[in-house]
């Protein structure tokens, strides 16, 4: 009996040692990237979906926060010339404001079609489609229940070189009026050179139109009650697409040279924003698509904030970028730094195909067919200028 007890004690000790070693080995083999991604509870939608927040941190201490509602970026920090990291994207102070409409599309993934489609309809391969009319006579950013309102599945990518999130969403055939079941994958990567890389992919089982983008508003001052008029902007584009009264492109491709729309050389956003220009009056400021020079992944824009020293460079393989100067921000919501989200306190650089492309044959096509794969990549890279 005594011998049996001794054997049991020895066996128990061996099992404890083995279990402890196993736990230690598991922690050692856990990918390093996972240490740079934290998951926490964020809130619950009115539909009962439990929303999580994913926080990515690079080796410099830069942080990106993303929620699985709308694939929304709720925070992104960047250093100033003194090395101080501050949040540089606008957002709400309460989760429910993201869940209950998000009227400004703060930080959201946009689909199926970023920007406007005239009269909320288009014809594709001889068949007409009517989509959600949510912007006067037009459809904007995929409709009222676009991708910015959807629950995205998010998984940290375990074998990635840098902290990376994989977001997936499947849009049913007929959702918001769009044809085809569209399977969308987006990767958010935070690199060690302080860049946010966004990669998009999509596939469909019927001919459809796709134009995905990201709708973060930036204010490089880190103080969201300040306007962005002192930010200096350069856009690598010789032409832009003028718009009508409802902000639909007229079809013209107009040279920017000598106009308020000329950002070929860097200038303050506020320099010409109040010029006596019909296009500025229609947009209440800048809310237009620039036709980007070059092709493939290239640098298309730079923004510099002199006071903080922050610089944001934008790279993309898209043919256009919508520069929007926050003209419809109306002060109805609190900012994350105090004050309100007032007129022109944030700007967007939404990389994309042109607005209303499905109705304008002269614009680059946004059609996606079965068997094809939609690809797009955009990078927002942050640095400092002393």
């Amino acid at each position: 009996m005594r011998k049996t007890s001794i054997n049991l004690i020895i066996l128990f000790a061996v099992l404890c040692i083995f279990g402890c070693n196993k736990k230690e080995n598991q922690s050692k083999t856990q990918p390093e990237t996972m240490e740079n991604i934290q998951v926490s509870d964020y809130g619950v939608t009115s539909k009962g979906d439990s929303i999580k927040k994913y926080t990515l941190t690079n080796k410099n201490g830069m942080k990106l926060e993303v929620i699985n509602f709308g694939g929304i970026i709720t925070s992104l920090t960047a250093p100033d010339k003194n090395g101080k990291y501050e949040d540089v994207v606008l957002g709400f102070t309460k989760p429910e404001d993201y869940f209950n409409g998000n009227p400004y599309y703060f930080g959201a993934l946009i689909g199926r079609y970023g920007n406007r489609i005239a009269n909320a309809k288009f014809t594709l391969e001889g068949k007409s489609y009517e989509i959600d009319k949510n912007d006067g006579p037009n459809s904007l950013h995929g409709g009222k229940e676009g991708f910015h309102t959807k629950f995205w599945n998010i998984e940290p990518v375990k074998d990635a070189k840098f902290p990376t999130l994989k977001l997936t969403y499947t849009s049913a055939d007929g959702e918001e009026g769009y044809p085809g079941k569209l399977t969308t994958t987006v990767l958010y990567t935070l690199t060690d050179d302080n860049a946010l890389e966004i990669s998009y992919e999509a596939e469909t089982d019927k001919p459809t139109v796709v134009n995905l983008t990201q709708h973060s508003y930036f204010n490089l001052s880190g103080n969201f009650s300040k306007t962005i008029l002192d930010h200096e902007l350069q856009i690598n584009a010789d032409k832009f697409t003028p718009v009508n009264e409802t902000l639909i492109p007229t079809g013209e491709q107009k040279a920017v040279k000598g106009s308020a729309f000329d950002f070929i050389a860097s200038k303050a956003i506020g320099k010409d924003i109040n010029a006596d220009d019909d296009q500025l009056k229609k947009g209440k400021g800048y809310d237009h698509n620039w036709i980007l020079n070059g092709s493939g992944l290239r640098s298309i824009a730079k923004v510099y904030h002199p006071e903080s020293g922050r610089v944001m460079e934008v790279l993309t393989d898209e043919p256009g970028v919508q520069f929007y100067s926050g003209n419809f921000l109306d002060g109805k919501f609190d900012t994350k730094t105090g004050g309100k989200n007032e007129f022109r306190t944030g700007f967007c650089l939404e990389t994309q195909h042109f607005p209303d492309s499905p109705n304008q044959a002269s614009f680059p096509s946004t059609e996606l067919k079965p068997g094809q794969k939609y690809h797009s990549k955009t990078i927002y890279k942050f640095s400092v200028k002393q």
Side-chain angles (χ1 to χ4, degrees):
M1 191 74 179
R2 184 183 297 170
K3 187 175 181 181
T4 302
S5 298
I6 292 170
N7 288 340
L8 286 172
I9 291 169
I10 292 170
L11 178 61
F12 180 74
V14 169
L15 287 173
C16 282
I17 292 168
F18 176 77
C20 291
N21 285 341
K22 187 177 179 184
K23 278 186 179 179
E24 185 180 347
N25 289 335
Q26 282 178 337
S27 66
K28 284 181 179 177
T29 57
Q30 186 76 0
E32 185 179 349
T33 300
M34 301 304 292
E35 297 175 6
N36 295 329
I37 301 177
Q38 286 78 43
V39 186
S40 57
D41 292 326
Y42 186 74
V44 179
T45 70
S46 59
K47 296 179 181 179
D49 289 322
S50 179
I51 304 304
K52 300 290 185 182
K53 181 176 74 174
Y54 298 77
T55 302
L56 283 62
T57 308
N58 73 4
K59 70 175 186 180
N60 308 313
M62 182 176 182
K63 291 183 184 293
L64 168 71
E65 295 181 358
V66 178
I67 59 174
N68 55 352
F69 182 87
I72 291 169
I73 293 173
T74 59
S75 178
L76 177 64
T77 66
D80 67 5
K81 59 189 176 185
N82 298 314
K84 183 180 180 182
Y85 280 81
E86 291 180 297
D87 194 357
V88 294
V89 294
L90 275 64
F92 296 114
T93 58
K94 296 181 288 187
E96 55 265 32
D97 290 333
Y98 288 111
F99 306 155
N100 299 332
N102 190 0
Y104 314 122
Y105 303 90
F106 277 157
L109 288 175
I110 302 297
R112 292 188 187 190
Y113 199 95
N115 221 308
R116 295 172 174 85
I117 294 181
N119 301 311
K121 58 185 178 183
F122 61 91
T123 300
L124 188 62
E125 299 194 349
K127 187 172 181 181
S128 296
Y129 296 93
E130 292 191 8
I131 54 179
D132 186 50
K133 191 179 289 186
N134 66 325
D135 183 53
N138 308 316
S139 184
L140 175 65
H141 294 331
K144 185 179 179 182
E145 300 292 329
F147 286 7
H148 64 290
T149 69
K150 302 303 181 183
F151 182 86
W152 288 72
N153 182 64
I154 296 186
E155 300 174 13
V157 179
K158 294 181 180 179
D159 56 352
K161 183 178 179 182
F162 302 113
T164 299
L165 296 177
K166 179 182 179 182
L167 296 83
T168 53
Y169 174 69
T170 299
S171 175
D173 182 17
E175 185 176 276
E176 296 297 276
Y178 288 91
K181 182 175 81 170
L182 188 78
T183 303
T184 303
T185 301
V186 179
L187 297 178
Y188 284 142
T189 299
L190 187 63
T191 69
D192 282 344
D193 60 352
N194 285 357
L196 168 60
E197 297 186 355
I198 308 171
S199 299
Y200 307 85
E201 288 188 357
E203 294 180 286
T204 184
D205 63 356
K206 290 181 182 178
T208 192
V209 294
V210 185
N211 191 26
L212 305 178
T213 193
Q214 221 293 333
H215 208 293
S216 285
Y217 290 70
F218 298 94
N219 187 323
L220 301 185
S221 75
N223 183 340
F224 303 131
S225 63
K226 290 185 176 181
T227 75
I228 45 80
L229 299 181
D230 61 343
H231 289 50
E232 297 174 7
L233 171 65
Q234 183 267 331
I235 304 176
N236 185 20
D238 296 323
K239 297 178 181 179
F240 79 106
T241 51
V243 295
N244 65 17
E245 289 75 12
T246 65
L247 302 182
I248 294 292
T250 62
E252 182 185 3
Q253 299 186 18
K254 188 174 182 180
V256 300
K257 190 173 181 179
S259 76
F261 290 79
D262 188 350
F263 285 93
I264 294 173
S266 181
K267 69 177 180 182
I269 291 172
K271 182 181 179 185
D272 298 318
I273 201 168
N274 295 315
D276 186 13
D277 184 292
D278 179 61
Q279 284 296 305
L280 289 172
K281 291 174 183 176
K282 285 174 177 171
K284 296 185 179 180
Y286 297 107
D287 192 5
H288 297 74
N289 169 67
W290 270 253
I291 301 171
L292 298 172
N293 297 333
S295 60
L297 186 64
R298 74 275 191 211
S299 179
I300 61 98
K302 282 187 179 180
V303 188
Y304 169 53
H305 181 246
E307 185 179 343
S308 69
R310 290 188 178 96
V311 177
M312 184 179 79
E313 180 181 12
V314 185
L315 301 91
T316 191
D317 53 13
E318 288 282 358
V321 65
Q322 186 86 1
F323 167 46
Y324 170 53
S325 52
N327 315 309
F328 297 101
L329 296 173
D330 52 14
K332 290 182 180 177
F333 295 87
D334 294 332
T335 79
K336 294 181 283 183
T337 57
K340 300 287 185 179
N341 288 307
E342 301 283 359
F343 186 57
R344 296 176 179 166
T345 52
F347 69 89
C348 302
L349 287 168
E350 304 157 60
T351 57
Q352 57 181 20
H353 273 56
F354 304 171
D356 199 37
S357 289
N359 294 314
Q360 305 215 26
S362 65
F363 288 177
S365 175
T366 54
E367 182 179 358
L368 182 68
K369 297 180 180 180
Q372 296 178 334
K373 185 171 278 190
Y374 172 100
H375 287 281
S376 180
K377 186 170 186 176
T378 292
I379 301 171
Y380 297 95
K381 186 175 182 180
F382 295 86
S383 59
V384 172
K385 183 178 176 181
Q386 295 292 340

